[in-house]
Amino acid sequence: MFSFLLWLFLLLVCWPLALLALVLYPLCWLLTLPFRLIGIGVEGVFELLRAVVMLPARILGGGARR
């Protein structure tokens, strides 16, 4: 909601810049999408490695109790 109000303020102050921001936002989102997907994949790999490393401790009873 705050970003919309900020955009409305920008529209009142400088409407060409507000329209440019409105057009460029989806393009920037599309350009950063592959980096977000790579980040999700890397995070998954690190979680898998953490689970493999912590497995012996969980088997021996060092993990969280239920």
Side-chain angles (χ1 to χ4, degrees):
M1 184 69 179
F2 178 71
S3 61
F4 178 68
L5 292 175
L6 191 64
W7 183 82
L8 282 178
F9 176 73
L10 185 62
L11 183 65
L12 291 174
V13 174
C14 182
W15 66 268
L17 188 61
L19 292 178
L20 183 67
L22 193 64
V23 170
L24 288 181
Y25 178 76
L27 295 175
C28 292
W29 187 85
L30 283 174
L31 286 175
T32 59
L33 187 62
F35 298 111
R36 286 189 220 150
L37 293 175
I38 289 171
I40 291 170
V42 169
E43 185 178 349
V45 168
F46 282 143
E47 286 295 321
L48 177 66
L49 289 175
R50 180 177 179 266
V52 168
V53 168
M54 297 299 283
L55 184 61
R58 292 187 66 162
I59 290 175
L60 293 175
R65 306 259 182 221
R66 292 186 192 178

